[in-house]
Amino acid sequence: MKDLLETLKGNQPSSTPLWLMRQAGRYLPEYRELRAQKGGFLEMAFDPKAACEVTMQPIRRFGMDGAIIFSDILTIPYALGQGLEFAKGEGPKLPPISTKSEIEALGYDQFDQKMQPVYDAITLTKQQLAAENFDHVTLLGFAGAPWTIATYMIEGGGSKDYINVKTMAYAQPDLFQELINLITEATSRYLINQIKAGADVVKIFDSWAGVLDEDQFKKWAINPVKQIVQAIKSEFPDVPVIGFPRGAGLNYPRYAQETGVDCCAFDSMISLDWIAENLQPICCVQGNLDPAILRAGGECLEQNTKNILKKMAAKPFIFNLGHGINKETPPEHVAQLMRIVKEYKP
Ligand code: CP3
């Protein structure tokens, strides 16, 4: 039985399902080894066999309930024709765009062809999970939310203050809307194709939703994701969608209600009691152990994990981190976390 999928459909299996954001990655020696062989992150992500192998690594080691396909949210700008590079140790770099003509130069000419390796990796991973008898594992596809993708496209990479993208959203809302519409449409197509390739569930990461004020949150975080959810549901009404508007604070319940996601993931900064009272009655929720606690391990990990379970596990709940796993995390701490969650009895 797939406990993660069941939980997303509103049922409650006997133990809490668990998976971790960035569960495949540099904290695993087997990942670092393959990455060195392949030469880089993008080379690995766009090689279906390598991407499948890396997706399987944490499942083989720890047996999580979910396997998230190894890829990146920045495949969207790349497939729409913007350049993308991962300089070693520096994070993503894109040639920033800012003008109408730069936005209008983006398009679908090579979109399906460039994304094909991602779809192939999903199909291959689905087969591999079955071949290795991981029948309990749910396969997750994912994409970035339009707002977060737009931040990378306009800032040209990560940002501390999001000043360029925010200025554009305020000063040229019509032009910014044009960009958001393009990303929204491309993301709907991308996620629907991931489901066709074999994803059981899809997740939409809005990592930088927390920098938007209330009106902008509605315009750029809620509305586009609502459209994506509608597009998915019109073709696949039974495939669950997880939304993660990281840092949304008081806006979490409104996001869950208005976008129509089946599950809302939440970060580590927010009160568990508040989430239990205000978000969990609306939908299944997923969160929120601070990745630093996982890195710390020991007694601290045990107490915090049990506290989350005590407060959340009585209603549909998926155990996860509040953000991606830190690359210095000892793999034994992940094994310890698995044990605590799986042995927990309410
Ligand atoms: O969760 C998983 O195991 C699946 C794979 C996955 C990656 N990125 C692989 C990756 C997922 C779901 C993502 C999502 C992603 N990518 C987000 C949203 C989630 C979040 O963290 O907020 C964002 C904002 C990105 C953009 C991105 N990709 C950044 C900022 C970086 C550099 C930061 C870093 O950790 O180096 C990446 C690179 C990246 N994506 C790596 C991995 C494993 C590291 C690449 C490497 O050097 O091996």
Side-chain angles (χ1 to χ4, degrees):
M1 186 159 102
K2 294 189 187 334
D3 286 354
L4 175 51
L5 197 56
E6 286 303 310
T7 304
L8 286 166
K9 292 186 173 177
N11 302 318
Q12 273 207 282
S14 56
S15 69
T16 301
L18 172 152
W19 69 281
L20 303 174
M21 287 186 268
R22 298 275 181 99
Q23 63 189 21
R26 287 166 295 189
Y27 75 107
L28 290 177
E30 57 269 38
Y31 172 89
R32 295 195 297 268
E33 194 181 314
L34 191 64
R35 189 184 191 280
Q37 266 175 39
K38 291 286 165 186
F41 170 72
L42 283 177
E43 288 75 6
M44 210 155 71
F46 283 110
D47 172 341
K49 268 177 124 163
C52 166
E53 179 60 24
V54 171
T55 305
M56 295 299 297
Q57 285 174 348
I59 306 300
R60 292 188 187 124
R61 223 188 226 260
F62 309 110
M64 288 93 170
D65 296 282
I68 183 158
I69 193 64
F70 187 78
S71 183
D72 199 82
I73 62 168
L74 298 174
T75 51
I76 286 278
Y78 166 78
L80 289 172
Q82 196 174 5
L84 173 63
E85 248 184 80
F86 281 85
K88 218 177 157 128
E90 277 185 51
K93 292 268 172 286
L94 304 86
I97 55 169
S98 58
T99 63
K100 192 170 173 69
S101 63
E102 283 166 338
I103 291 172
E104 287 173 354
L106 301 167
Y108 290 102
D109 306 358
Q110 296 197 313
F111 189 85
D112 292 329
Q113 183 194 333
K114 283 184 163 167
M115 291 303 203
Q116 194 57 46
V118 179
Y119 309 142
D120 291 344
I122 290 174
T123 305
L124 205 57
T125 305
K126 186 96 168 192
Q127 290 164 356
Q128 197 60 31
L129 285 167
E132 297 186 30
N133 296 315
F134 288 117
D135 301 326
H136 74 286
V137 178
T138 298
L139 181 57
L140 293 102
F142 73 91
W147 163 254
T148 287
I149 296 300
T151 70
Y152 284 98
M153 293 175 82
I154 288 170
E155 302 287 346
S159 172
K160 284 206 170 68
D161 53 12
Y162 305 90
I163 191 68
N164 296 316
V165 65
K166 285 170 88 170
T167 305
M168 182 169 173
Y170 283 117
Q172 298 167 277
D174 294 342
L175 181 60
F176 190 62
Q177 184 75 58
E178 224 181 277
L179 176 63
I180 289 288
N181 290 348
L182 174 66
I183 305 168
T184 300
E185 188 189 53
T187 304
S188 302
R189 174 158 161 176
Y190 184 43
L191 290 174
I192 286 168
N193 283 335
Q194 291 187 33
I195 294 166
K196 288 181 179 160
D200 301 310
V201 171
V202 292
K203 177 164 174 183
I204 302 169
F205 288 89
D206 213 346
S207 302
W208 314 123
V211 304
L212 294 168
D213 71 25
E214 200 175 351
D215 289 347
Q216 300 279 298
F217 186 87
K218 166 80 178 155
K219 249 175 133 168
W220 313 124
I222 293 181
N223 290 349
V225 171
K226 179 178 177 179
Q227 284 176 41
I228 295 169
V229 173
Q230 281 172 349
I232 294 169
K233 296 287 179 185
S234 72
E235 276 199 53
F236 295 101
D238 299 328
V239 172
V241 180
I242 306 173
F244 183 28
R246 196 169 74 88
L250 299 177
N251 282 315
Y252 273 119
R254 182 177 176 216
Y255 176 93
Q257 211 130 37
E258 295 183 17
T259 58
V261 293
D262 301 272
C263 172
C264 189
F266 60 101
D267 59 75
S268 315
M269 287 89 84
I270 195 152
S271 144
L272 288 168
D273 290 325
W274 191 88
I275 290 287
E277 195 176 321
N278 296 287
L279 185 62
Q280 210 169 19
I282 301 172
C283 62
C284 170
V285 297
Q286 170 182 290
N288 81 337
L289 186 79
D290 187 330
I293 296 175
L294 183 60
R295 185 179 171 198
E299 186 63 18
C300 168
L301 175 58
E302 178 152 353
Q303 276 179 11
N304 281 283
T305 302
K306 287 185 173 164
N307 184 48
I308 293 173
L309 289 164
K310 191 172 102 210
K311 295 199 166 173
M312 307 308 299
K315 297 213 192 98
F317 174 62
I318 298 164
F319 198 99
N320 205 315
L321 300 174
H323 202 185
I325 197 165
N326 177 275
K327 68 179 190 319
E328 310 296 337
T329 305
E332 312 81 71
H333 293 187
V334 177
Q336 183 193 351
L337 174 66
M338 286 294 300
R339 276 196 307 277
I340 301 167
V341 173
K342 291 300 162 186
E343 285 166 12
Y344 180 81
K345 291 282 167 279

